[in-house]
Amino acid sequence: MTNEIENNGSGEQLSNRGHSRRDVLRLGSFATLGAILGSGIMLGGATPAFAQKVDGTTKQLASEPLNIVFAVYNGGTLLDFAGPSEVFHRLPNTNVRYASLNGGTVTLEFGVKYGHTERLADIRETDLIMVPGGSDMTEAMHPEFLAQIRRLAESAKYITSVCTGSLSLAAAGVLKGKRSACHWAFVNNLAKYGAIPVTDRFVEDDNGRFMSGGGVTSGIDFALRVAGKLKGKQSAEFTQLVIEYDPAPPFHSGHPRSAPPEVLAMVEKVLPGATKGLAHIPGIK
Amino acid sequence: MTNEIENNGSGEQLSNRGHSRRDVLRLGSFATLGAILGSGIMLGGATPAFAQKVDGTTKQLASEPLNIVFAVYNGGTLLDFAGPSEVFHRLPNTNVRYASLNGGTVTLEFGVKYGHTERLADIRETDLIMVPGGSDMTEAMHPEFLAQIRRLAESAKYITSVCTGSLSLAAAGVLKGKRSACHWAFVNNLAKYGAIPVTDRFVEDDNGRFMSGGGVTSGIDFALRVAGKLKGKQSAEFTQLVIEYDPAPPFHSGHPRSAPPEVLAMVEKVLPGATKGLAHIPGIK
């Protein structure tokens, strides 16, 4: 699988990647760690340098980078991909990229500006595609965006999403008959597109070719599971320790099954249909 | 406390804020929720419209926005503030801003591009300042950055940090004799600046004027605690439910006390001193 970007004539992507590489070499500490681990040394030392079928999943060749593309868009939610991004960047031998329909800066939920992003059309293929969710899915449901993620998904080894990103993948037609997660308030909208809604925090199908996380923060758990499957348990544990993922929520309100009824009622009031997993998102009919 | 930005003559900040506001009105769903709650209606309806001393903390006036500034910098870590940002934006009646030494786009760890950010010097004051951590603290330890965060901290009601951001606040001289959290691998460096290192995930001092989170992902727990203190438990629970924060890490490796010894040894190898909380970060002598 290639790791090259098709030249769009701007030189922008190359300079972006070059900058990123220089950062890795310059920053030391975490980043030096990334550079060391990224040079093909597998954590744990037990993974031989050839494809290995473990737990139903073919692990990456130790000498080949795992190419990851986050397909982001205007109206998306930062934390949906900031969690996975933080995990994937720290794994050994990954190449993480951010791409959007038009490239450049995207304006996320709450006006947050993100990127430089590459253009989706300039990415020939990827090993793993991740589509995050958003509060306005207008661009994520645009036919050109759907065409691009369908194209990348068709040749990808792993098709993944967090939160309502699964609705975009489903609308693109790549989740037909597949089990998928989604934010709890929207999960049953998946059925409109022939996907099978599952209310778990992490869901997989087809021996891990399809992997998805629930709402927003579930992206961190999702990414650690993906890390364990594709880079080995010890790589995932190492990353978990570096990002100090030892969660201690001060309240018990992270899911409808545990939230106080009055808090759930407040969400239902502003997102009618949420308690049935059928709340409406702008951009989805 | 004012909510105005001093005019820097560029008009950039006004257009940025204007854009953000238009987004809130346009996006519907989560964002409409934000707009509704942002209009001064307190969740739960039980908070009267005047300052209220509860649990040792003065709650915000229902009719006054809580002004929050994230002081970000080149070399910072995205997830350190992406978690808190996601929580704070969703609370009723908050005004969340991002500022850096020079304004514009900042290049975070791994080459991630973030912003438009405002210039710290253009922010007159804020109710809450939050300094996130980073893998390269060179800019976060720059005398001008330290001067700006010291200036904002002096008039702020709440002085906060996540991860190694506390080292920057401590170097700025505002944490002398104060208990503070930090990433576990770096926490004891706080003592160099007269702060008191505490290895908890969330730490407060002076009845909540100082609040801090541990490493990277602890920002989510930190922000929910801050939310509960400043906006009431029900606002925090509501936000927790909307961001589906029902963590389920697949491994037990989020802190030195739970990580497998061989994984901890791997971190110590690339970050010498980590197990003593005295690892080195570029930019800090």
Side-chain angles (χ1 to χ4, degrees):
Chain A
M1 176 149 285
T2 182
N3 184 22
E4 293 305 305
I5 306 171
E6 290 181 34
N7 191 343
N8 74 345
S10 73
E12 183 66 40
Q13 286 137 10
L14 283 174
S15 70
N16 189 44
R17 294 179 71 205
H19 186 92
S20 184
R21 168 56 53 188
R22 280 197 301 278
D23 272 359
V24 166
L25 296 176
R26 185 173 56 82
L27 291 183
S29 289
F30 292 169
T32 299
L33 170 61
I36 293 165
L37 301 177
S39 63
I41 301 163
M42 288 295 281
L43 287 170
T47 309
F50 47 80
Q52 190 186 33
K53 195 93 172 175
V54 180
D55 302 330
T57 308
T58 303
K59 296 203 179 194
Q60 195 70 10
L61 285 171
S63 57
E64 279 185 11
L66 180 72
N67 295 300
I68 295 170
V69 169
F70 288 96
V72 300
Y73 49 88
N74 292 295
T77 297
L78 177 64
L79 190 52
D80 284 20
F81 64 93
S85 157
E86 214 64 67
V87 172
F88 293 159
H89 272 295
R90 285 186 167 80
L91 295 174
N93 211 13
T94 56
N95 178 26
V96 180
R97 295 156 75 177
Y98 306 88
S100 65
L101 195 52
N102 297 315
T105 299
V106 292
T107 300
L108 303 174
E109 192 179 3
F110 306 118
V112 166
K113 305 283 185 187
Y114 189 84
H116 182 82
T117 64
E118 300 178 48
R119 285 180 64 225
L120 281 165
D122 292 332
I123 295 181
R124 195 156 66 194
E125 55 187 358
T126 183
D127 297 310
L128 186 152
I129 181 170
M130 202 294 252
V131 185
S135 63
D136 184 337
M137 300 288 287
T138 304
E139 186 170 303
M141 289 289 171
H142 190 286
E144 286 180 34
F145 184 87
L146 298 182
Q148 288 297 337
I149 63 170
R150 185 187 311 118
R151 178 181 65 79
L152 289 169
E154 278 168 359
S155 62
K157 294 192 188 86
Y158 309 104
I159 300 164
T160 78
S161 62
V162 167
C163 198
T164 58
S166 59
L167 294 173
S168 189
L169 282 173
V174 296
L175 295 186
K176 284 201 201 316
K178 306 300 177 193
R179 293 159 40 88
S180 183
C182 188
H183 189 291
W184 64 266
F186 307 97
V187 61
N188 288 323
N189 290 305
L190 281 167
K192 296 177 189 171
Y193 307 102
I196 302 167
V198 181
T199 56
D200 294 345
R201 195 160 177 85
F202 176 78
V203 175
E204 61 181 311
D205 204 338
D206 276 3
N207 267 334
R209 180 160 190 241
F210 297 87
M211 295 184 279
S212 49
V216 194
T217 56
S218 71
I220 302 171
D221 300 310
F222 153 86
L224 288 172
R225 285 185 182 268
V226 171
K229 285 176 178 292
L230 305 190
K231 294 292 187 179
K233 184 183 177 192
Q234 210 163 47
S235 290
E237 287 174 328
F238 176 93
T239 304
Q240 185 183 357
L241 184 54
V242 170
I243 63 170
E244 203 170 326
Y245 189 47
D246 185 30
F251 309 109
H252 300 287
S253 188
H255 196 273
R257 69 178 159 265
S258 53
E262 63 275 18
V263 173
L264 186 56
M266 285 159 55
V267 177
E268 177 68 23
K269 194 168 176 183
V270 286
L271 290 174
T275 54
K276 292 187 167 63
L278 285 169
H280 171 72
I281 310 182
I284 298 189
K285 292 191 183 87
Chain B
M1 176 148 287
T2 182
N3 185 22
E4 293 305 304
I5 305 172
E6 291 182 33
N7 192 343
N8 72 346
S10 73
E12 184 65 43
Q13 286 137 11
L14 283 174
S15 70
N16 188 44
R17 293 180 70 206
H19 184 93
S20 183
R21 169 55 54 188
R22 282 197 301 279
D23 273 359
V24 168
L25 297 175
R26 184 173 57 82
L27 291 183
S29 291
F30 291 169
T32 298
L33 168 62
I36 292 166
L37 301 177
S39 63
I41 300 163
M42 287 296 281
L43 287 170
T47 307
F50 47 79
Q52 191 185 32
K53 195 92 173 177
V54 180
D55 301 332
T57 309
T58 304
K59 295 202 180 196
Q60 196 69 12
L61 284 170
S63 57
E64 278 186 12
L66 179 73
N67 295 300
I68 295 169
V69 169
F70 288 96
V72 300
Y73 50 88
N74 293 294
T77 297
L78 177 64
L79 189 52
D80 284 19
F81 64 94
S85 158
E86 214 65 68
V87 172
F88 292 159
H89 272 296
R90 285 185 168 79
L91 295 174
N93 210 12
T94 57
N95 178 26
V96 179
R97 296 157 74 178
Y98 307 89
S100 64
L101 195 52
N102 297 315
T105 300
V106 291
T107 300
L108 303 173
E109 193 177 2
F110 305 118
V112 165
K113 304 283 185 188
Y114 189 85
H116 183 80
T117 64
E118 300 178 49
R119 285 181 65 227
L120 281 164
D122 292 332
I123 295 181
R124 195 157 63 194
E125 55 187 358
T126 182
D127 297 312
L128 186 153
I129 181 169
M130 201 295 254
V131 184
S135 63
D136 185 337
M137 300 288 286
T138 304
E139 186 171 303
M141 289 289 170
H142 190 286
E144 286 180 31
F145 185 88
L146 298 181
Q148 289 297 337
I149 63 171
R150 186 186 311 119
R151 177 181 65 80
L152 289 169
E154 278 168 359
S155 62
K157 293 193 189 87
Y158 308 103
I159 300 165
T160 78
S161 62
V162 166
C163 199
T164 58
S166 58
L167 293 173
S168 189
L169 281 173
V174 295
L175 295 186
K176 285 201 199 318
K178 305 300 176 192
R179 292 158 42 89
S180 182
C182 187
H183 188 293
W184 65 267
F186 307 96
V187 62
N188 288 323
N189 290 305
L190 281 167
K192 295 177 192 172
Y193 306 102
I196 302 166
V198 181
T199 56
D200 293 346
R201 196 161 175 85
F202 176 80
V203 175
E204 61 181 310
D205 204 337
D206 276 3
N207 268 335
R209 180 160 190 241
F210 297 88
M211 295 185 278
S212 50
V216 194
T217 56
S218 71
I220 302 171
D221 300 309
F222 154 86
L224 288 171
R225 285 185 182 268
V226 171
K229 283 177 179 291
L230 305 190
K231 294 291 186 178
K233 184 183 177 194
Q234 209 163 48
S235 289
E237 288 174 329
F238 176 92
T239 304
Q240 186 182 357
L241 184 54
V242 170
I243 63 170
E244 203 171 325
Y245 188 47
D246 185 32
F251 310 109
H252 300 287
S253 189
H255 195 273
R257 67 177 160 267
S258 53
E262 63 275 18
V263 173
L264 185 57
M266 285 159 56
V267 177
E268 176 68 23
K269 194 169 176 183
V270 287
L271 289 175
T275 55
K276 293 187 166 66
L278 285 169
H280 171 72
I281 309 180
I284 299 190
K285 292 189 185 89

